Amino acid sequence: MSDFTNGFWPWYVAGISLVSIIACALLLWLAGKATVMAHPGQAEDNTTGHVWDQDLRELNNPLPRWWMWLFIITVVFALVYLAIFPGLGSYRGLLNWSTQSEHKQDVTSLSTQVAPLYAEFTAAPVETLAKDPRALAVGERLFMNNCSQCHGSDARGSKSYPNLTNANTAWLGERSAAHIVQTVTNGRVGMMPPMGAAVGGEPEISELANYVLSLSGSPHNEIKAFSGKARFSVCAACHGVDGKGNKALGAPNLTDDYWLHGWGEAAIVSMIKNGKNNVMPAQAPKLTADQIHVVAAYVLSLSASTLPATSAGGVSGAAAKPVGKAMP
Ligand code: HEC
Ligand code: HEC
């Protein structure tokens, strides 16, 4: 209870609480003292003189004892509670307890419990952990809680969110422990500048897009692709002369079947014209280095480097290929 922004409110809150309790006690005391005043209609037989339904008379008895005691107990309980726990303005209570401190204690005690397990995990390289079922079980849970909202619970991603089960060739960076740890810790920004002006007008951009499609054997217009080939030189700086990408720059392989930002001429034209600024936020503020070590092992375990690139995430060329769109 220390988040008041103004010195007046703690007193105000504490005042209302205390005054209410004192008022209750006072009322109790007065009710115990006072007797109903005698009045003309009062009978001698200890009734108040109130009669209902012809013969139902109200007795003038004091409050029942058990009821009085219950009332006294609640008043005492309230005072003891407010002395022990925070409740009176900014007064912290005798125990100095707060939800925050309790949470902190829980976290600390949990961390001490799992510390030996994590110590064992962090002593091993990520590559070894990627074969340890216990580490993978923990890693999977970390993945579900921290990564699945973007990469999917099966890690197969979606448009603009990479499929992490892909083989190395379809990754933006190296599919390695170092790259995964680095990416998770610091996040990453995939940046391709808008290239429209460097390529030319609409026809030139369309020709280049068809050439890019031809690199992966996707349906394309051969004539346009032929004319577009020379224009690929402005892309080669990042994507390589052969279009196989450059992992150091995060420029993806354009010759495979995996399309992170969408498949087809329209998607490629849009990439050329608008470029891309694709951000993964750093996870270091949320995860400890030990947790990142373990989740990296899980991610590494998801794909063997020998697997072919799958296109379940992103937009699949194979699945999306509209028959007959290839040739005019
Ligand atoms: C808010 C969404 C978001 C979250 C959460 C997120 N990521 Fe990412 N991640 C992305 C995006 C977007 C990219 C692609 C960035 C780019 O285009 O360069 C990416 C890229 C990656 C890459 C690089 C893939 C490659 O091809 O090189 C890895 C590895 C990765 N994420 C792992 C994780 C792990 C593990 C977690 C959980 C600890 C996680 N991410 C959490 C959005 C997210
Ligand atoms: C300065 C480096 C750079 C240049 C030059 C560049 N690109 Fe890129 N390109 C990138 C990066 C980096 C990405 C990945 C963005 C991300 O991480 O999401 C990308 C992504 C793409 C994609 C999306 C691939 C997918 O899987 O969805 C296409 C298509 C593409 N570029 C085509 C081109 C073409 C065509 C040119 C030439 C006109 C070009 N790029 C020039 C860096 C570059």
Side-chain angles (χ1 to χ4, degrees):
M1 294 291 279
S2 55
D3 297 339
F4 289 101
T5 50
N6 179 320
F8 165 75
W9 295 112
W11 290 103
Y12 180 78
V13 170
I16 287 184
S17 305
L18 285 178
V19 166
S20 311
I21 295 172
I22 290 167
C24 284
L26 213 61
L27 182 69
L28 191 63
W29 181 68
L30 285 176
K33 285 239 135 192
T35 47
V36 174
M37 300 280 278
H39 58 86
Q42 176 151 19
E44 293 299 305
D45 55 358
N46 190 34
T47 67
T48 59
H50 300 153
V51 183
W52 288 275
D53 293 345
Q54 285 155 18
D55 61 350
L56 193 58
R57 290 166 190 282
E58 183 184 3
L59 290 177
N60 187 16
N61 282 341
L63 294 168
R65 271 290 147 91
W66 65 265
W67 193 89
M68 287 276 285
W69 278 112
L70 215 63
F71 212 151
I72 292 169
I73 288 170
T74 53
V75 168
V76 172
F77 175 84
L79 290 173
V80 171
Y81 183 93
L82 286 175
I84 295 178
F85 292 107
L88 289 177
S90 49
Y91 171 62
R92 300 188 64 89
L94 293 173
L95 292 182
N96 202 19
W97 177 92
S98 72
T99 43
Q100 280 165 3
S101 65
E102 183 170 283
H103 175 68
K104 220 180 261 171
Q105 265 177 15
D106 284 355
V107 171
T108 320
S109 90
L110 262 175
S111 319
T112 7
Q113 275 177 36
V114 296
L117 192 61
Y118 269 106
E120 199 187 317
F121 288 161
T122 38
V126 173
E127 291 82 356
T128 314
L129 279 193
K131 293 175 194 117
D132 179 343
R134 289 174 316 144
L136 295 183
V138 178
E140 181 176 14
R141 221 161 305 143
L142 288 169
F143 188 90
M144 291 306 160
N145 289 336
N146 299 285
C147 324
S148 60
Q149 69 269 42
C150 291
H151 291 284
S153 49
D154 58 359
R156 291 169 99 79
S158 58
K159 188 158 185 263
S160 299
Y161 296 101
N163 180 342
L164 302 176
T165 70
N166 274 339
N168 185 36
T169 50
W171 277 52
L172 294 162
E174 284 297 341
R175 189 191 146 279
S176 68
H179 170 62
I180 300 171
V181 168
Q182 147 76 18
T183 301
V184 175
T185 308
N186 303 318
R188 61 174 282 127
V189 181
M191 220 185 55
M192 167 164 156
M195 299 291 295
V199 176
E202 295 285 340
E204 288 81 8
I205 294 177
S206 166
E207 285 167 7
L208 176 57
N210 274 278
Y211 173 69
V212 171
L213 283 170
S214 77
L215 291 174
S216 54
S218 304
H220 61 280
N221 178 319
E222 299 247 7
I223 300 162
K224 280 190 177 180
F226 182 77
S227 323
K229 181 170 183 180
R231 301 184 208 287
F232 193 73
S233 56
V234 293
C235 321
C238 294
H239 290 282
V241 180
D242 54 4
K244 285 197 158 42
N246 182 332
K247 288 181 184 293
L249 299 172
N253 185 350
L254 301 177
T255 70
D256 64 15
D257 202 20
Y258 179 66
W259 298 92
L260 178 58
H261 298 299
W263 176 85
E265 180 174 333
I268 297 172
V269 166
S270 161
M271 276 304 290
I272 296 172
K273 282 192 189 161
N274 309 320
K276 198 68 164 190
N277 207 347
N278 207 31
V279 179
M280 163 160 160
Q283 304 294 302
K286 287 201 289 173
L287 299 173
T288 65
D290 293 352
Q291 288 174 316
I292 292 174
H293 191 75
V294 176
V295 80
Y298 173 73
V299 171
L300 199 59
S301 78
L302 292 175
S303 66
S305 52
T306 49
L307 281 179
T310 68
S311 21
V315 175
S316 157
K321 266 172 204 165
V323 182
K325 195 186 170 194
M327 302 294 286

